[in-house]
Amino acid sequence: MQPFLGPDFLLDTAAARHLYHDVAESLPIVDYHNHLGPDVIASDKKWDDIGAIWLEGDHYKWRAMRWAGINEERVSGAADFREKFNAFAEVMPRFLGNPLYHWTHLELQRYFGIRDLLSPATADAIWEKANSKLAEDSHSARGLLRQMKVEFVGTTDMPCDSLEHHKAIAQDDSINDMIVAPSFRPDQAYKIEMPGFMDFIADLSKVVGRSIESYEELMDALIERLDHFVANGCKATDHGIDVLRFAPPVNTAALNVIFEKRMTNQALEELEIAQFQTNMLVDLSRAYYQRGLVMQMHIGAIRNNNHRFYGSLGADVGGDSINDLPVAGPLNGLLGEMDRDGHLPKTVLYHLNPNMNEVIVSTAGNFQDGTIPGKIQAGSGWWFNDQLDGMERQMTQLAQMGLFSHFIGMLTDSRSFLSFPRHEYFRRLVCQMIGRWTEAGHIPNDRQLLDKLVRDVCYQNAADWFLDQPEA
């Protein structure tokens, strides 16, 4: 019997053990999509205690703690972080089978050298040892990234963001060993139906220094902000698309009418919302293509379902889940319009519903055009699917319906500076899968061939896209 999270965790074949320990384990990390705060990296923040770095804003943990019966005071409420940490330790033994059990103990091992299982009996000792480590320079924001050999951090930023912290990082010679790049996320612009749309237009008008009274003026302002992002190192864009809409494009005059209706607080028809979103996403995709940016599309969340939590705590607090709306028709329609003039950028498609894996992979295959290997990606298991079963299902369908060899691999999608062992989790799974394929005779036991496959999927493919450092 293997020890819990021992050296050969998940590595159940000789091939898997070789692939992980001799190839994947030492590779750097390109984390091309996350929600880390650039201000935290710019200031090289240190945390006072493990409760703060672990539990502040982490809706994964919040959901599980509520499920275990912890009251909100000790989850996201006014209790101090020692109380919240104690609550987390109290319920950790009940997390068996949930990826949080693996992630929590991988983080304790990798960052703090702690192999004890978190529980009420060990909480005091773990609290003291972890906090003593957090006081060291090795456990500042940058120190934590360096421990995991992170070469690229792709943050998530809104069009009106000043990017002042990215500028400060770029000018700081002490952090020249990693790239911290903003990613342009214009959700507020194309979600014309959302309550905050008019507020966004007002904010954008202030940032660009002129009024925005038409669709053309809105697009001009967005492109100006996009160029500001590119000037500050942007490599990728991101789009949260909870409801995927598609309608045949309409002319600018029709878009101006829709914009004016919304700005005068008139109700929009569903068709008008779809026309506006389709046209804006198509126009933005062309701008991304022209600037060599990667377009990411996160599809299929149903958000803010708990009205009580949303009213008291706001968004991103653990009230979101998987949607089951149609995707194949609108997604193919949207990508087809983006590709009509050959200006579809490199694209990563993620769907929160694992039942859509085959739809996403087969759709990605429709728009490969021979210009860039894996130009349209079936993105990694996202959110509820970044656990062993979810990642394996996604990669299996990609391998069977597309080309696994050109997969750009894992990302954290996290707000936590302790989340990077998730790349190890992913890499061990990749090696397990390939090792089992090898042992079963499904693929040849060719060390050179398999080593390259693991290196590419775990690092090199993403490095080629985001670091501009192709393999020699």
Side-chain angles (χ1 to χ4, degrees), residues 284-313:
L284 285 171
S285 73
R286 184 177 298 109
Y288 303 155
Y289 176 87
Q290 292 166 347
R291 291 157 179 78
L293 301 175
V294 175
M295 178 174 69
Q296 299 177 90
M297 300 174 71
H298 284 86
I299 304 166
I302 181 168
R303 298 181 185 272
N304 306 316
N305 301 289
N306 187 313
H307 304 303
R308 181 159 50 92
F309 282 156
Y310 182 61
S312 61
L313 302 174

Side-chain angles (χ1 to χ4, degrees), residues 46-97:
K46 285 186 175 180
W47 287 264
D48 293 331
D49 60 68
I50 191 172
I53 193 172
W54 243 0
L55 297 168
E56 186 172 25
D58 192 332
H59 56 82
Y60 283 83
K61 295 186 180 74
W62 290 359
R63 283 175 66 97
M65 292 170 73
R66 291 172 188 141
W67 201 312
I70 300 297
N71 66 66
E72 199 62 29
E73 178 82 0
R74 301 168 73 203
V75 177
S76 68
D80 63 32
F81 280 116
R82 180 60 204 262
E83 292 179 81
K84 292 175 180 177
F85 172 82
N86 285 347
F88 189 53
E90 175 186 324
V91 297
M92 180 54 55
R94 299 183 229 165
F95 284 15
L96 292 171

Side-chain angles (χ1 to χ4, degrees), residues 89 212 224 285 292 377:
I212 297 173
E224 180 178 321
S285 73
Q377 290 277 318

Side-chain angles (χ1 to χ4, degrees), residues 188-318:
Q188 299 156 298
Y190 59 79
K191 292 184 177 179
I192 191 172
E193 78 283 9
M194 296 300 287
F197 181 78
M198 287 186 283
D199 290 337
F200 168 72
I201 297 300
D203 291 342
L204 184 60
S205 297
K206 291 178 184 177
V207 170
V208 298
R210 58 184 182 275
S211 62
I212 297 173
E213 299 177 355
S214 67
Y215 177 83
E216 301 106 311
E217 291 174 349
L218 173 55
M219 283 305 305
D220 286 344
L222 288 172
I223 298 304
E224 180 178 321
R225 295 306 298 165
L226 180 63
D227 286 335
H228 176 67
F229 273 61
V230 172
N232 284 280
C234 177
K235 297 284 188 182
T237 68
D238 186 38
H239 308 78
I241 304 178
D242 306 332
V243 179
L244 184 61
R245 297 177 171 91
F246 173 75
V250 296
N251 60 32
T252 302
L255 294 169
N256 286 337
V257 170
I258 296 169
F259 182 83
E260 184 177 355
K261 282 183 68 175
R262 182 68 181 88
M263 293 302 290
T264 54
N265 214 24
Q266 299 179 59
L268 297 179
E269 301 292 335
E270 176 63 25
L271 177 60
E272 293 174 314
I273 297 171
Q275 289 169 336
F276 188 89
Q277 291 188 359
T278 297
N279 278 264
M280 177 164 286
L281 288 170
V282 170
D283 288 344
L284 285 171
S285 73
R286 184 177 298 109
Y288 303 155
Y289 176 87
Q290 292 166 347
R291 291 157 179 78
L293 301 175
V294 175
M295 178 174 69
Q296 299 177 90
M297 300 174 71
H298 284 86
I299 304 166
I302 181 168
R303 298 181 185 272
N304 306 316
N305 301 289
N306 187 313
H307 304 303
R308 181 159 50 92
F309 282 156
Y310 182 61
S312 61
L313 302 174
D316 302 319
V317 297

Side-chain angles (χ1 to χ4, degrees), residues 142 145-146 149-152 172-180:
R142 299 181 194 179
L145 294 172
R146 289 187 175 111
K149 297 194 287 189
V150 178
E151 289 187 343
F152 183 90
D172 187 343
D173 291 339
S174 68
I175 194 173
N176 59 13
D177 54 340
M178 72 182 75
I179 296 170
V180 181

